Amino acid sequence: MLQASDRALLKKTHNLALEFLETLKDRPVGRPVDFGALVESAGGPLASEGELPIQVIEHLAKAIEPGLVATAGPRYFGFVIGGSVPAALAADWLTSAWDQNGFSYASSPAAAAVEDIAARWLLDIFGLPRGSSVGFTTGCTMANFTGLAAARHSLFRQLDWDVERQGLMGAPPVTVVTSEESHVSIFAGLQMLGLGRDRVVRVPADEQGRMQPRELRCALAEIRTPVLVCAQTGNVNTGSFDPVLDIAECVHERGGWLHVDGAFGLWAAASPAYRELVRGIELADSIAVDCHKWLNVPYDSGLVFVRDPAAHHTAMSLSAAYYAPLPDHARDNHNWVPEASRRSRGFAIYAALRSLGRKGIADTIERCCALARRMADRLAQGSEVQILNDVVLNQVLVRFADSDALTAEVIRRVQEDGTCWLSATTWHGMHAMRTSVSNWSTSEEDIDISAAAILRLAKPTP
Ligand SMILES: *Cc1c(COP(=O)(O)O)cnc(C)c1O
């Protein structure tokens, strides 16, 4: 089926990918680019006649090149973005070539089997109950959405209200409790589920951003309806962890559902050195995590774990007359996520887990955390540099001369300079630079080069 020209095309594309990867370490990590120019050079009207595929690919790679960000490289510290470990990237290439519809067992027994295997490995790595169900989502936003949907099912079941069939109009009330510091994607999930972004009770957090169980207890004492509590392991700014064990106790004492957003922080559970940070995580009713962040697999890749598979299944499943019956013990991937047809994202996760092994995963987490501390130590040597958070994980919050204006200016200069890339945030009303070390390939040297560049750019210009 593959013609010589197709073979040449795919070989050429393979080489383009290798060239990109080989220059990753030396490219400017990010650089100012003119959006209009980028659109102009890659765009124009779509011709009625098609072009040769090889020309299209060569043109695409060349025209958008100035707009490529070295997020996959070792000195990208913006947001919380990992790269791709080689086995995961390779499996992702195969995923495209195989073009398996990850939807159902009938559409791809291979995709179903690999999700089943990876799901078990992941439950084991995170120390979660073996009977939990696992959904492979696009990312943590949809993992949060799915966990919250399972919670919604369970809360309304307590009220004898079938929310999947009857919807929310005329339904009796339930209450959602979040932390002051809950991630925006929790509110996105609540808004999509009809639970209301603003209809929440927000529990105060401490100076590191951790939900305070004492405050949670007070809030719960006032609530008379079924309750969903959203906690997090890994604050996007400080990396701090809500005390899940204490929170789970208060929530379960009164029959509530505990959802934990563990987008990157849940990976602490995979390291013996950091596991203590997520103590009690096995008690959570639903948990969301990303693989495209700290496991370092390509986008898009998140996971949701639910302790009550029936609640998960009822909240997500769809069925049509033409769906094939499922053989005993087989898995229909679509029962655990919002989508039907989709990419078979289990292959890349499987390959990453298997190539790293338990030890490799723990090493990645521990190495990134050590590098974050190294970054904090290096930066703290600069005059008037303040580290705003306790560096408990892979996040470092930095402020310059206690000045919003200077901090913003340093971030701008760093982003323009291209040695490394960092983003801005606001922490307790202060402008801050946020550093996240989550790439498998970052070395001590990368940290030292980056910290030196930041300190150089933080000096007042003469
Ligand atoms: C990144 C992140 C999310 C959202 O995850 P996506 O994969 O971007 O959808 C949610 N919560 C936290 C704490 C995050 O860091």
Side-chain angles (χ1 to χ4, degrees), residues 397-448:
L397 280 182
V398 192
R399 185 166 162 85
F400 298 89
D402 201 16
S403 153
D404 283 352
L406 182 65
T407 303
E409 174 59 15
V410 176
I411 295 168
R412 195 192 61 74
R413 289 181 197 158
V414 171
Q415 291 180 348
E416 206 172 283
D417 170 72
T419 305
C420 62
W421 204 93
L422 301 141
S423 41
T425 191
T426 301
W427 180 247
H428 292 179
M430 289 177 285
H431 208 68
M433 184 173 90
R434 196 175 78 171
T435 306
S436 171
V437 185
S438 22
N439 191 295
W440 66 282
S441 67
T442 305
S443 67
E444 290 187 347
E445 194 195 352
D446 289 311
I447 296 295
D448 296 350

CSV table of all heavy atoms in Angstrom, one decimal, residues 397-448:
chain,number,residue,atom,x,y,z
A,397,LEU,N,9.1,30.0,43.5
A,397,LEU,CA,8.5,31.3,43.2
A,397,LEU,C,9.5,32.4,43.6
A,397,LEU,O,10.0,32.4,44.7
A,397,LEU,CB,7.3,31.5,44.1
A,397,LEU,CG,6.0,30.9,43.7
A,397,LEU,CD1,4.9,31.3,44.7
A,397,LEU,CD2,5.6,31.3,42.3
A,398,VAL,N,9.8,33.2,42.6
A,398,VAL,CA,10.9,34.2,42.8
A,398,VAL,C,10.4,35.6,42.6
A,398,VAL,O,9.6,35.9,41.7
A,398,VAL,CB,12.0,33.9,41.7
A,398,VAL,CG1,13.3,34.7,42.0
A,398,VAL,CG2,12.3,32.4,41.6
A,399,ARG,N,11.0,36.5,43.4
A,399,ARG,CA,10.6,37.9,43.3
A,399,ARG,C,11.9,38.7,43.4
A,399,ARG,O,12.8,38.4,44.1
A,399,ARG,CB,9.7,38.3,44.4
A,399,ARG,CG,9.1,39.7,44.4
A,399,ARG,CD,7.9,39.7,45.3
A,399,ARG,NE,7.6,41.1,45.7
A,399,ARG,CZ,6.8,41.9,44.9
A,399,ARG,NH1,6.2,41.4,43.8
A,399,ARG,NH2,6.5,43.1,45.4
A,400,PHE,N,11.9,39.8,42.6
A,400,PHE,CA,13.1,40.6,42.6
A,400,PHE,C,12.9,42.0,43.2
A,400,PHE,O,12.0,42.7,42.9
A,400,PHE,CB,13.6,40.8,41.1
A,400,PHE,CG,13.9,39.5,40.4
A,400,PHE,CD1,12.9,38.7,39.8
A,400,PHE,CD2,15.2,39.0,40.5
A,400,PHE,CE1,13.2,37.5,39.2
A,400,PHE,CE2,15.5,37.7,39.9
A,400,PHE,CZ,14.5,37.0,39.3
A,401,ALA,N,13.8,42.3,44.2
A,401,ALA,CA,13.8,43.6,44.8
A,401,ALA,C,12.5,44.0,45.4
A,401,ALA,O,12.1,45.2,45.5
A,401,ALA,CB,14.3,44.7,43.9
A,402,ASP,N,11.7,43.0,45.8
A,402,ASP,CA,10.3,43.2,46.3
A,402,ASP,C,9.5,44.2,45.4
A,402,ASP,O,8.8,45.0,46.0
A,402,ASP,CB,10.4,43.7,47.8
A,402,ASP,CG,9.1,43.4,48.5
A,402,ASP,OD1,8.3,42.6,47.9
A,402,ASP,OD2,8.9,44.0,49.5
A,403,SER,N,9.7,44.1,44.1
A,403,SER,CA,9.1,45.1,43.2
A,403,SER,C,8.3,44.3,42.1
A,403,SER,O,8.9,43.5,41.4
A,403,SER,CB,10.2,46.0,42.6
A,403,SER,OG,9.8,46.5,41.4
A,404,ASP,N,7.0,44.7,42.0
A,404,ASP,CA,6.2,44.1,40.9
A,404,ASP,C,6.8,44.5,39.6
A,404,ASP,O,6.9,43.7,38.7
A,404,ASP,CB,4.8,44.6,41.0
A,404,ASP,CG,4.0,43.9,42.0
A,404,ASP,OD1,4.5,42.9,42.7
A,404,ASP,OD2,2.8,44.3,42.3
A,405,ALA,N,7.2,45.8,39.4
A,405,ALA,CA,7.7,46.3,38.2
A,405,ALA,C,9.0,45.6,37.8
A,405,ALA,O,9.1,45.1,36.6
A,405,ALA,CB,7.9,47.8,38.2
A,406,LEU,N,9.9,45.5,38.7
A,406,LEU,CA,11.2,44.9,38.3
A,406,LEU,C,11.0,43.4,38.0
A,406,LEU,O,11.6,42.8,37.1
A,406,LEU,CB,12.3,45.0,39.4
A,406,LEU,CG,13.6,44.4,39.1
A,406,LEU,CD1,14.2,45.2,37.9
A,406,LEU,CD2,14.6,44.4,40.2
A,407,THR,N,10.2,42.7,38.8
A,407,THR,CA,9.9,41.3,38.6
A,407,THR,C,9.3,41.0,37.2
A,407,THR,O,9.8,40.2,36.5
A,407,THR,CB,9.0,40.7,39.7
A,407,THR,OG1,9.6,40.9,41.0
A,407,THR,CG2,8.7,39.2,39.5
A,408,ALA,N,8.4,41.9,36.8
A,408,ALA,CA,7.8,41.8,35.5
A,408,ALA,C,8.9,42.0,34.4
A,408,ALA,O,8.9,41.3,33.4
A,408,ALA,CB,6.6,42.7,35.3
A,409,GLU,N,9.7,43.0,34.7
A,409,GLU,CA,10.8,43.3,33.7
A,409,GLU,C,11.8,42.2,33.6
A,409,GLU,O,12.2,41.9,32.5
A,409,GLU,CB,11.4,44.6,34.2
A,409,GLU,CG,12.6,45.1,33.3
A,409,GLU,CD,12.3,45.3,31.8
A,409,GLU,OE1,11.2,45.4,31.5
A,409,GLU,OE2,13.3,45.3,31.1
A,410,VAL,N,12.1,41.6,34.7
A,410,VAL,CA,13.1,40.5,34.6
A,410,VAL,C,12.5,39.3,33.8
A,410,VAL,O,13.1,38.7,33.0
A,410,VAL,CB,13.5,40.0,36.0
A,410,VAL,CG1,14.4,38.8,35.9
A,410,VAL,CG2,14.2,41.1,36.8
A,411,ILE,N,11.2,39.0,34.1
A,411,ILE,CA,10.5,37.9,33.4
A,411,ILE,C,10.5,38.2,31.9
A,411,ILE,O,10.9,37.4,31.0
A,411,ILE,CB,9.1,37.7,33.9
A,411,ILE,CG1,9.1,37.2,35.3
A,411,ILE,CG2,8.3,36.7,33.0
A,411,ILE,CD1,7.8,37.3,36.0
A,412,ARG,N,10.3,39.5,31.5
A,412,ARG,CA,10.2,39.9,30.1
A,412,ARG,C,11.6,39.7,29.5
A,412,ARG,O,11.7,39.1,28.4
A,412,ARG,CB,9.8,41.3,30.0
A,412,ARG,CG,9.4,41.8,28.6
A,412,ARG,CD,9.3,43.3,28.4
A,412,ARG,NE,10.5,44.0,28.7
A,412,ARG,CZ,11.6,44.0,27.9
A,412,ARG,NH1,11.5,43.4,26.7
A,412,ARG,NH2,12.7,44.7,28.3
A,413,ARG,N,12.6,40.1,30.2
A,413,ARG,CA,14.0,40.0,29.7
A,413,ARG,C,14.4,38.5,29.5
A,413,ARG,O,15.0,38.1,28.5
A,413,ARG,CB,15.0,40.6,30.6
A,413,ARG,CG,15.0,42.2,30.6
A,413,ARG,CD,16.0,42.7,31.5
A,413,ARG,NE,15.8,44.1,31.9
A,413,ARG,CZ,16.3,44.7,33.0
A,413,ARG,NH1,17.0,44.0,33.8
A,413,ARG,NH2,16.0,45.9,33.2
A,414,VAL,N,14.0,37.7,30.5
A,414,VAL,CA,14.4,36.3,30.4
A,414,VAL,C,13.7,35.6,29.2
A,414,VAL,O,14.3,34.8,28.5
A,414,VAL,CB,14.0,35.5,31.7
A,414,VAL,CG1,14.2,34.0,31.6
A,414,VAL,CG2,14.9,36.1,32.9
A,415,GLN,N,12.4,35.9,29.0
A,415,GLN,CA,11.7,35.3,27.9
A,415,GLN,C,12.3,35.7,26.6
A,415,GLN,O,12.3,35.0,25.6
A,415,GLN,CB,10.2,35.7,28.0
A,415,GLN,CG,9.5,35.1,29.2
A,415,GLN,CD,8.0,35.4,29.3
A,415,GLN,OE1,7.6,36.4,28.6
A,415,GLN,NE2,7.3,34.7,30.2
A,416,GLU,N,12.8,37.0,26.5
A,416,GLU,CA,13.4,37.5,25.3
A,416,GLU,C,14.8,36.9,25.0
A,416,GLU,O,15.1,36.6,23.9
A,416,GLU,CB,13.4,39.0,25.4
A,416,GLU,CG,13.4,39.7,24.0
A,416,GLU,CD,13.3,41.2,24.2
A,416,GLU,OE1,12.2,41.6,24.5
A,416,GLU,OE2,14.3,41.9,24.1
A,417,ASP,N,15.5,36.7,26.1
A,417,ASP,CA,16.9,36.2,26.0
A,417,ASP,C,17.0,34.8,25.4
A,417,ASP,O,17.9,34.5,24.7
A,417,ASP,CB,17.5,36.3,27.4
A,417,ASP,CG,18.8,35.6,27.5
A,417,ASP,OD1,19.8,36.2,27.0
A,417,ASP,OD2,18.9,34.5,28.1
A,418,GLY,N,16.1,33.9,25.8
A,418,GLY,CA,16.1,32.6,25.2
A,418,GLY,C,16.9,31.5,25.8
A,418,GLY,O,16.9,30.4,25.4
A,419,THR,N,17.7,31.9,26.9
A,419,THR,CA,18.5,30.8,27.5
A,419,THR,C,17.6,29.8,28.2
A,419,THR,O,17.8,28.6,28.2
A,419,THR,CB,19.4,31.5,28.6
A,419,THR,OG1,20.2,32.5,28.0
A,419,THR,CG2,20.3,30.4,29.3
A,420,CYS,N,16.5,30.4,28.8
A,420,CYS,CA,15.5,29.5,29.4
A,420,CYS,C,14.2,30.2,29.3
A,420,CYS,O,14.1,31.4,28.8
A,420,CYS,CB,15.9,29.2,30.9
A,420,CYS,SG,15.9,30.6,32.0
A,421,TRP,N,13.1,29.6,29.7
A,421,TRP,CA,11.8,30.3,29.7
A,421,TRP,C,11.1,30.0,31.0
A,421,TRP,O,11.0,28.9,31.5
A,421,TRP,CB,11.0,29.8,28.5
A,421,TRP,CG,10.0,30.7,28.0
A,421,TRP,CD1,10.1,31.6,27.0
A,421,TRP,CD2,8.6,30.9,28.5
A,421,TRP,NE1,8.9,32.4,26.9
A,421,TRP,CE2,8.0,31.9,27.8
A,421,TRP,CE3,7.9,30.2,29.5
A,421,TRP,CZ2,6.7,32.3,28.0
A,421,TRP,CZ3,6.6,30.7,29.7
A,421,TRP,CH2,6.0,31.7,28.9
A,422,LEU,N,10.5,31.1,31.5
A,422,LEU,CA,9.8,31.1,32.7
A,422,LEU,C,8.5,31.9,32.6
A,422,LEU,O,8.5,32.9,31.8
A,422,LEU,CB,10.6,31.7,33.8
A,422,LEU,CG,11.9,31.1,34.1
A,422,LEU,CD1,13.0,32.1,34.4
A,422,LEU,CD2,11.8,30.1,35.2
A,423,SER,N,7.5,31.6,33.4
A,423,SER,CA,6.3,32.4,33.3
A,423,SER,C,6.1,33.2,34.6
A,423,SER,O,6.7,33.0,35.6
A,423,SER,CB,5.1,31.6,32.9
A,423,SER,OG,5.1,30.4,33.6
A,424,ALA,N,5.1,34.1,34.5
A,424,ALA,CA,4.8,35.0,35.6
A,424,ALA,C,3.6,34.5,36.3
A,424,ALA,O,2.8,33.7,35.8
A,424,ALA,CB,4.4,36.4,35.0
A,425,THR,N,3.4,34.9,37.6
A,425,THR,CA,2.2,34.6,38.3
A,425,THR,C,2.0,35.6,39.4
A,425,THR,O,2.9,36.5,39.5
A,425,THR,CB,2.3,33.2,39.0
A,425,THR,OG1,1.1,32.8,39.5
A,425,THR,CG2,3.3,33.2,40.2
A,426,THR,N,0.9,35.6,40.1
A,426,THR,CA,0.7,36.4,41.2
A,426,THR,C,0.5,35.6,42.4
A,426,THR,O,-0.2,34.6,42.4
A,426,THR,CB,-0.6,37.3,40.9
A,426,THR,OG1,-0.5,38.0,39.7
A,426,THR,CG2,-0.9,38.2,42.1
A,427,TRP,N,1.3,35.9,43.4
A,427,TRP,CA,1.2,35.1,44.7
A,427,TRP,C,0.9,36.0,45.8
A,427,TRP,O,1.7,36.9,46.1
A,427,TRP,CB,2.4,34.3,44.9
A,427,TRP,CG,2.4,33.5,46.1
A,427,TRP,CD1,3.1,33.6,47.3
A,427,TRP,CD2,1.5,32.4,46.4
A,427,TRP,NE1,2.8,32.7,48.2
A,427,TRP,CE2,1.8,31.9,47.7
A,427,TRP,CE3,0.5,31.7,45.7
A,427,TRP,CZ2,1.1,30.8,48.3
A,427,TRP,CZ3,-0.2,30.7,46.2
A,427,TRP,CH2,0.1,30.2,47.5
A,428,HIS,N,-0.2,35.8,46.5
A,428,HIS,CA,-0.6,36.7,47.6
A,428,HIS,C,-0.5,38.2,47.2
A,428,HIS,O,0.1,39.0,48.0
A,428,HIS,CB,0.2,36.4,48.9
A,428,HIS,CG,-0.1,35.0,49.4
A,428,HIS,ND1,0.5,34.5,50.5
A,428,HIS,CD2,-1.0,34.1,49.0
A,428,HIS,CE1,0.0,33.3,50.8
A,428,HIS,NE2,-0.9,33.0,49.9
A,429,GLY,N,-1.0,38.5,46.0
A,429,GLY,CA,-1.0,39.9,45.6
A,429,GLY,C,0.3,40.4,45.1
A,429,GLY,O,0.4,41.6,44.6
A,430,MET,N,1.3,39.6,45.0
A,430,MET,CA,2.6,40.0,44.6
A,430,MET,C,3.0,39.4,43.2
A,430,MET,O,2.7,38.2,43.0
A,430,MET,CB,3.8,39.6,45.5
A,430,MET,CG,3.8,40.3,46.8
A,430,MET,SD,5.1,39.6,47.9
A,430,MET,CE,4.4,38.1,48.4
A,431,HIS,N,3.6,40.2,42.3
A,431,HIS,CA,4.0,39.6,41.1
A,431,HIS,C,5.2,38.7,41.3
A,431,HIS,O,6.1,39.0,42.1
A,431,HIS,CB,4.4,40.8,40.2
A,431,HIS,CG,4.3,40.5,38.7
A,431,HIS,ND1,3.0,40.3,38.1
A,431,HIS,CD2,5.2,40.3,37.7
A,431,HIS,CE1,3.2,40.0,36.9
A,431,HIS,NE2,4.5,40.0,36.6
A,432,ALA,N,5.2,37.6,40.7
A,432,ALA,CA,6.4,36.6,40.9
A,432,ALA,C,6.7,35.9,39.7
A,432,ALA,O,5.9,35.7,38.8
A,432,ALA,CB,6.0,35.6,42.0
A,433,MET,N,7.9,35.4,39.6
A,433,MET,CA,8.4,34.5,38.5
A,433,MET,C,8.3,33.1,39.0
A,433,MET,O,8.7,32.8,40.1
A,433,MET,CB,9.9,34.9,38.2
A,433,MET,CG,10.4,34.1,37.1
A,433,MET,SD,12.1,34.7,36.7
A,433,MET,CE,13.0,33.7,37.8
A,434,ARG,N,7.7,32.3,38.1
A,434,ARG,CA,7.4,30.9,38.6
A,434,ARG,C,8.3,29.9,37.8
A,434,ARG,O,8.3,30.0,36.6
A,434,ARG,CB,5.9,30.6,38.3
A,434,ARG,CG,5.5,29.4,39.0
A,434,ARG,CD,4.0,29.2,38.8
A,434,ARG,NE,3.8,28.6,37.5
A,434,ARG,CZ,2.6,28.2,37.1
A,434,ARG,NH1,1.5,28.3,37.9
A,434,ARG,NH2,2.4,27.7,35.9
A,435,THR,N,9.0,29.1,38.5
A,435,THR,CA,9.9,28.1,37.8
A,435,THR,C,9.4,26.7,38.2
A,435,THR,O,9.2,26.4,39.3
A,435,THR,CB,11.3,28.3,38.5
A,435,THR,OG1,11.7,29.6,38.4
A,435,THR,CG2,12.3,27.4,37.7
A,436,SER,N,9.2,26.0,37.1
A,436,SER,CA,8.8,24.6,37.4
A,436,SER,C,9.8,23.7,36.7
A,436,SER,O,10.1,23.8,35.5
A,436,SER,CB,7.4,24.4,36.7
A,436,SER,OG,7.1,23.0,36.8
A,437,VAL,N,10.4,22.7,37.4
A,437,VAL,CA,11.4,21.8,36.8
A,437,VAL,C,10.6,20.5,36.7
A,437,VAL,O,10.4,19.8,37.6
A,437,VAL,CB,12.6,21.6,37.7
A,437,VAL,CG1,13.6,20.8,37.0
A,437,VAL,CG2,13.2,23.0,38.1
A,438,SER,N,10.2,20.2,35.4
A,438,SER,CA,9.5,18.9,35.2
A,438,SER,C,9.9,18.1,34.0
A,438,SER,O,9.2,17.2,33.6
A,438,SER,CB,8.0,19.2,35.2
A,438,SER,OG,7.7,20.5,34.9
A,439,ASN,N,11.1,18.5,33.4
A,439,ASN,CA,11.5,17.8,32.2
A,439,ASN,C,12.6,16.8,32.6
A,439,ASN,O,13.5,17.0,33.4
A,439,ASN,CB,12.1,18.8,31.3
A,439,ASN,CG,12.4,18.2,29.9
A,439,ASN,OD1,13.2,17.3,29.8
A,439,ASN,ND2,11.7,18.7,28.9
A,440,TRP,N,12.4,15.6,32.1
A,440,TRP,CA,13.3,14.4,32.4
A,440,TRP,C,14.7,14.7,32.0
A,440,TRP,O,15.7,14.1,32.5
A,440,TRP,CB,12.8,13.2,31.6
A,440,TRP,CG,13.0,13.4,30.1
A,440,TRP,CD1,12.1,14.1,29.3
A,440,TRP,CD2,14.0,12.9,29.3
A,440,TRP,NE1,12.6,14.0,28.0
A,440,TRP,CE2,13.7,13.3,27.9
A,440,TRP,CE3,15.1,12.1,29.5
A,440,TRP,CZ2,14.5,13.0,26.8
A,440,TRP,CZ3,16.0,11.8,28.4
A,440,TRP,CH2,15.7,12.2,27.1
A,441,SER,N,15.0,15.6,31.0
A,441,SER,CA,16.3,15.8,30.5
A,441,SER,C,17.1,17.0,31.1
A,441,SER,O,18.2,17.2,30.7
A,441,SER,CB,16.3,15.9,29.0
A,441,SER,OG,15.7,17.2,28.6
A,442,THR,N,16.5,17.7,32.0
A,442,THR,CA,17.2,18.8,32.6
A,442,THR,C,18.3,18.4,33.5
A,442,THR,O,18.2,17.4,34.3
A,442,THR,CB,16.2,19.6,33.5
A,442,THR,OG1,15.1,20.0,32.7
A,442,THR,CG2,16.8,20.9,34.0
A,443,SER,N,19.5,19.0,33.3
A,443,SER,CA,20.7,18.6,34.1
A,443,SER,C,21.1,19.8,35.1
A,443,SER,O,20.5,20.9,35.0
A,443,SER,CB,21.8,18.4,33.2
A,443,SER,OG,22.2,19.6,32.5
A,444,GLU,N,22.0,19.5,35.9
A,444,GLU,CA,22.5,20.5,36.9
A,444,GLU,C,23.1,21.7,36.0
A,444,GLU,O,22.9,22.8,36.4
A,444,GLU,CB,23.6,19.9,37.8
A,444,GLU,CG,23.0,19.0,38.8
A,444,GLU,CD,24.0,18.5,39.8
A,444,GLU,OE1,25.2,18.7,39.6
A,444,GLU,OE2,23.5,17.9,40.8
A,445,GLU,N,23.8,21.3,35.0
A,445,GLU,CA,24.3,22.4,34.1
A,445,GLU,C,23.3,23.3,33.5
A,445,GLU,O,23.4,24.5,33.5
A,445,GLU,CB,25.1,21.7,33.0
A,445,GLU,CG,26.0,22.6,32.3
A,445,GLU,CD,26.5,22.1,30.9
A,445,GLU,OE1,26.3,20.9,30.6
A,445,GLU,OE2,27.2,22.8,30.2
A,446,ASP,N,22.1,22.7,33.1
A,446,ASP,CA,21.0,23.5,32.6
A,446,ASP,C,20.5,24.5,33.7
A,446,ASP,O,20.2,25.7,33.4
A,446,ASP,CB,19.9,22.6,32.2
A,446,ASP,CG,20.2,21.8,30.9
A,446,ASP,OD1,20.6,22.5,29.9
A,446,ASP,OD2,19.9,20.6,30.9
A,447,ILE,N,20.5,24.0,34.9
A,447,ILE,CA,20.0,24.9,36.0
A,447,ILE,C,21.0,26.0,36.2
A,447,ILE,O,20.7,27.2,36.3
A,447,ILE,CB,19.9,24.1,37.3
A,447,ILE,CG1,18.8,23.0,37.2
A,447,ILE,CG2,19.6,25.0,38.5
A,447,ILE,CD1,17.4,23.6,37.0
A,448,ASP,N,22.3,25.7,36.2
A,448,ASP,CA,23.3,26.7,36.5
A,448,ASP,C,23.4,27.7,35.4
A,448,ASP,O,23.5,28.9,35.7
A,448,ASP,CB,24.7,26.0,36.6
A,448,ASP,CG,24.7,25.1,37.9
A,448,ASP,OD1,23.8,25.1,38.7
A,448,ASP,OD2,25.7,24.3,38.0
